[in-house]
C-alpha cells in the first residue's frame, strides 16, 4: 500500500521525535523534497517507475548513523546488479522476487520495499544467515511501519542503549496492539509467522521446502546480474 505522502512525512517525523526524546542523537536537518531515483534502479529491479514515497524517504538528509530499532540503518540507492544478491532469501513471495528494493538493514534481518504490482509500498522482511526462509510482510506500508516503531518507544519496548548509542527492542509481545513482525527481532514465534504468511499470500509449500527453491532463485539472480552487466 502506498501512503499519502503527508501521512508518511508525519509518521517519519513522529518516529524521529520519539527516538530523540528517548535519547537518540538525530539532529534535525530539515525536510528535503522527493528526488528522482538513479537511472540504474529501474534496470536493476526491472520496473518502469519508483514511487514518490520511496524517493522522498531516500532523499531525506539523515545522519550516517543507526537510527532504526535494533541498530538498523537505511540503505542507499543501489549502484549495480550486486544489490540483487540481497534478495536471495525471498522465496515464496506473492510478487516477482525482483520487484523489491533492499531498504532497511539490521544485523540479522533485511526489510525491502515492494516496487510494483498490487502490493506496491508494502514492507517485507527476510532473516539473514539461517537455514529457514521466513519470508513475510513486516508492514502494509512505510507509514504503518514507522508508526509501530513510534508506538513501541512510547510503550517502553524500544529503548535507548546508552553504551551503544542506538535503540534496542525487547518484549514486544507483551504489549497489545503492537505487531511483533514490524519490529526487527528474530526468530518470530512460528504460529504468528505462519498465520501472517498465509494472510499475505506467501506460498507455504515453497518456504517449507526451502533449499531447491532458493537454488532456483539464486540461479535467476545470477542470470539477471549477467544481463545487467552485458
Amino acid at each position: 500500500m502506498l501512503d499519502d505522502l503527508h501521512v508518511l512525512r508525519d509518521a517519519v517525523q513522529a518516529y524521529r521525535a520519539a527516538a530523540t526524546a528517548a535519547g537518540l542523537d538525530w539532529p534535525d536537518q530539515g525536510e528535503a523534497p522527493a528526488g528522482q531515483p538513479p537511472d540504474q534502479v529501474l534496470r536493476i529491479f526491472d520496473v518502469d517507475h519508483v514511487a514518490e514515497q520511496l524517493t522522498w524517504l531516500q532523499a531525506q538528509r539523515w545522519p550516517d548513523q543507526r537510527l532504526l530499532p535494533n541498530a538498523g540503518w537505511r540503505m542507499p540507492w543501489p549502484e549495480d546488479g550486486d544489490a540483487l544478491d540481497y534478495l536471495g532469501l525471498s522465496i515464496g513471495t506473492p510478487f516477482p522476487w525482483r520487484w523489491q528494493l533492499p531498504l532497511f538493514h539490521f544485523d540479522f534481518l533485511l526489510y525491502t520495499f515492494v516496487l510494483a504490482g498490487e502490493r506496491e509500498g508494502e514492507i517485507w522482511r527476510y532473516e539473514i544467515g539461517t537455514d529457514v526462509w521466513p519470508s513475510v510482510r513486516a508492514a502494509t506500508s512505510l507509514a504503518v511501519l514507522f508508526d509501530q516503531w513510534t508506538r513501541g518507544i512510547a510503550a517502553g519496548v524500544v529503548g535507548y542503549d546508552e553504551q551503544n548509542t542506538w535503540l534496542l527492542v525487547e518484549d514486544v509481545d507483551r504489549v497489545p496492539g503492537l505487531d511483533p513482525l514490524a519490529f526487527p527481532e528474530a526468530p518470530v514465534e512460528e504460529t504468528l509467522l505462519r498465520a501472517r504468511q498465509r494472510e499475505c499470500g506467501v506460498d507455504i509449500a515453497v518456504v517449507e521446502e526451502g533449499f531447491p527453491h532458493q537454488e532456483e532463485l539464486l540461479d535467476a539472480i545470477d542470470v539477471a546480474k549477467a544481463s545487467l552487466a552485458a
Side-chain angles (χ1 to χ4, degrees), residues 6 18 20 48 63 74 144 161:
H6 77 275
T20 55
D48 61 8
R74 182 188 62 183
V144 170
D161 184 291

mmCIF file with all atom_site columns, all heavy atoms in Angstrom, residues 6 18 20 48 63 74 144 161:
data_model
loop_
_atom_site.group_PDB
_atom_site.id
_atom_site.type_symbol
_atom_site.label_atom_id
_atom_site.label_alt_id
_atom_site.label_comp_id
_atom_site.label_asym_id
_atom_site.label_entity_id
_atom_site.label_seq_id
_atom_site.pdbx_PDB_ins_code
_atom_site.Cartn_x
_atom_site.Cartn_y
_atom_site.Cartn_z
_atom_site.occupancy
_atom_site.B_iso_or_equiv
_atom_site.pdbx_formal_charge
_atom_site.auth_seq_id
_atom_site.auth_comp_id
_atom_site.auth_asym_id
_atom_site.auth_atom_id
_atom_site.pdbx_PDB_model_num
ATOM 1  N N   . HIS A 1 6   ? 1.827  13.007 2.742   1.00 0.00 ? 6   HIS A N   1
ATOM 2  C CA  . HIS A 1 6   ? 1.803  13.746 4.007   1.00 0.00 ? 6   HIS A CA  1
ATOM 3  C C   . HIS A 1 6   ? 1.663  12.800 5.196   1.00 0.00 ? 6   HIS A C   1
ATOM 4  O O   . HIS A 1 6   ? 2.174  13.083 6.287   1.00 0.00 ? 6   HIS A O   1
ATOM 5  C CB  . HIS A 1 6   ? 0.679  14.795 4.008   1.00 0.00 ? 6   HIS A CB  1
ATOM 6  C CG  . HIS A 1 6   ? -0.690 14.237 4.226   1.00 0.00 ? 6   HIS A CG  1
ATOM 7  N ND1 . HIS A 1 6   ? -1.474 13.725 3.211   1.00 0.00 ? 6   HIS A ND1 1
ATOM 8  C CD2 . HIS A 1 6   ? -1.427 14.087 5.369   1.00 0.00 ? 6   HIS A CD2 1
ATOM 9  C CE1 . HIS A 1 6   ? -2.629 13.300 3.703   1.00 0.00 ? 6   HIS A CE1 1
ATOM 10 N NE2 . HIS A 1 6   ? -2.627 13.513 5.001   1.00 0.00 ? 6   HIS A NE2 1
ATOM 11 N N   . ALA A 1 18  ? 10.090 10.815 18.671  1.00 0.00 ? 18  ALA A N   1
ATOM 12 C CA  . ALA A 1 18  ? 10.077 9.847  19.765  1.00 0.00 ? 18  ALA A CA  1
ATOM 13 C C   . ALA A 1 18  ? 11.473 9.292  20.011  1.00 0.00 ? 18  ALA A C   1
ATOM 14 O O   . ALA A 1 18  ? 11.892 9.103  21.163  1.00 0.00 ? 18  ALA A O   1
ATOM 15 C CB  . ALA A 1 18  ? 9.108  8.704  19.429  1.00 0.00 ? 18  ALA A CB  1
ATOM 16 N N   . THR A 1 20  ? 14.422 10.733 19.394  1.00 0.00 ? 20  THR A N   1
ATOM 17 C CA  . THR A 1 20  ? 15.291 11.732 20.028  1.00 0.00 ? 20  THR A CA  1
ATOM 18 C C   . THR A 1 20  ? 14.884 11.958 21.477  1.00 0.00 ? 20  THR A C   1
ATOM 19 O O   . THR A 1 20  ? 15.738 12.153 22.342  1.00 0.00 ? 20  THR A O   1
ATOM 20 C CB  . THR A 1 20  ? 15.271 13.054 19.248  1.00 0.00 ? 20  THR A CB  1
ATOM 21 O OG1 . THR A 1 20  ? 13.920 13.517 19.102  1.00 0.00 ? 20  THR A OG1 1
ATOM 22 C CG2 . THR A 1 20  ? 15.879 12.874 17.865  1.00 0.00 ? 20  THR A CG2 1
ATOM 23 N N   . ASP A 1 48  ? 9.189  0.000  -14.163 1.00 0.00 ? 48  ASP A N   1
ATOM 24 C CA  . ASP A 1 48  ? 9.139  1.188  -15.019 1.00 0.00 ? 48  ASP A CA  1
ATOM 25 C C   . ASP A 1 48  ? 8.953  2.482  -14.246 1.00 0.00 ? 48  ASP A C   1
ATOM 26 O O   . ASP A 1 48  ? 8.849  3.559  -14.836 1.00 0.00 ? 48  ASP A O   1
ATOM 27 C CB  . ASP A 1 48  ? 8.037  1.037  -16.076 1.00 0.00 ? 48  ASP A CB  1
ATOM 28 C CG  . ASP A 1 48  ? 6.645  0.879  -15.474 1.00 0.00 ? 48  ASP A CG  1
ATOM 29 O OD1 . ASP A 1 48  ? 6.494  1.034  -14.233 1.00 0.00 ? 48  ASP A OD1 1
ATOM 30 O OD2 . ASP A 1 48  ? 5.707  0.576  -16.230 1.00 0.00 ? 48  ASP A OD2 1
ATOM 31 N N   . PRO A 1 63  ? 21.553 11.562 9.196   1.00 0.00 ? 63  PRO A N   1
ATOM 32 C CA  . PRO A 1 63  ? 22.971 11.354 9.529   1.00 0.00 ? 63  PRO A CA  1
ATOM 33 C C   . PRO A 1 63  ? 23.355 9.894  9.320   1.00 0.00 ? 63  PRO A C   1
ATOM 34 O O   . PRO A 1 63  ? 22.500 8.994  9.333   1.00 0.00 ? 63  PRO A O   1
ATOM 35 C CB  . PRO A 1 63  ? 23.053 11.750 11.006  1.00 0.00 ? 63  PRO A CB  1
ATOM 36 C CG  . PRO A 1 63  ? 21.652 11.637 11.517  1.00 0.00 ? 63  PRO A CG  1
ATOM 37 C CD  . PRO A 1 63  ? 20.749 11.953 10.369  1.00 0.00 ? 63  PRO A CD  1
ATOM 38 N N   . ARG A 1 74  ? 19.133 2.818  7.192   1.00 0.00 ? 74  ARG A N   1
ATOM 39 C CA  . ARG A 1 74  ? 18.576 2.953  5.848   1.00 0.00 ? 74  ARG A CA  1
ATOM 40 C C   . ARG A 1 74  ? 19.691 2.708  4.834   1.00 0.00 ? 74  ARG A C   1
ATOM 41 O O   . ARG A 1 74  ? 20.757 3.291  4.914   1.00 0.00 ? 74  ARG A O   1
ATOM 42 C CB  . ARG A 1 74  ? 17.995 4.346  5.663   1.00 0.00 ? 74  ARG A CB  1
ATOM 43 C CG  . ARG A 1 74  ? 17.347 4.586  4.301   1.00 0.00 ? 74  ARG A CG  1
ATOM 44 C CD  . ARG A 1 74  ? 16.979 6.041  4.119   1.00 0.00 ? 74  ARG A CD  1
ATOM 45 N NE  . ARG A 1 74  ? 18.163 6.919  4.165   1.00 0.00 ? 74  ARG A NE  1
ATOM 46 C CZ  . ARG A 1 74  ? 18.103 8.249  4.089   1.00 0.00 ? 74  ARG A CZ  1
ATOM 47 N NH1 . ARG A 1 74  ? 16.952 8.862  3.972   1.00 0.00 ? 74  ARG A NH1 1
ATOM 48 N NH2 . ARG A 1 74  ? 19.215 8.964  4.147   1.00 0.00 ? 74  ARG A NH2 1
ATOM 49 N N   . VAL A 1 144 ? 2.875  2.804  8.252   1.00 0.00 ? 144 VAL A N   1
ATOM 50 C CA  . VAL A 1 144 ? 2.460  1.838  9.276   1.00 0.00 ? 144 VAL A CA  1
ATOM 51 C C   . VAL A 1 144 ? 3.677  1.329  10.038  1.00 0.00 ? 144 VAL A C   1
ATOM 52 O O   . VAL A 1 144 ? 3.647  1.188  11.267  1.00 0.00 ? 144 VAL A O   1
ATOM 53 C CB  . VAL A 1 144 ? 1.683  0.678  8.631   1.00 0.00 ? 144 VAL A CB  1
ATOM 54 C CG1 . VAL A 1 144 ? 1.462  -0.453 9.632   1.00 0.00 ? 144 VAL A CG1 1
ATOM 55 C CG2 . VAL A 1 144 ? 0.343  1.169  8.083   1.00 0.00 ? 144 VAL A CG2 1
ATOM 56 N N   . ASP A 1 161 ? 19.877 2.542  24.212  1.00 0.00 ? 161 ASP A N   1
ATOM 57 C CA  . ASP A 1 161 ? 21.009 1.889  24.856  1.00 0.00 ? 161 ASP A CA  1
ATOM 58 C C   . ASP A 1 161 ? 22.168 2.881  24.890  1.00 0.00 ? 161 ASP A C   1
ATOM 59 O O   . ASP A 1 161 ? 22.771 3.175  23.852  1.00 0.00 ? 161 ASP A O   1
ATOM 60 C CB  . ASP A 1 161 ? 21.398 0.635  24.076  1.00 0.00 ? 161 ASP A CB  1
ATOM 61 C CG  . ASP A 1 161 ? 22.514 -0.154 24.745  1.00 0.00 ? 161 ASP A CG  1
ATOM 62 O OD1 . ASP A 1 161 ? 23.653 0.357  24.770  1.00 0.00 ? 161 ASP A OD1 1
ATOM 63 O OD2 . ASP A 1 161 ? 22.258 -1.268 25.229  1.00 0.00 ? 161 ASP A OD2 1
#
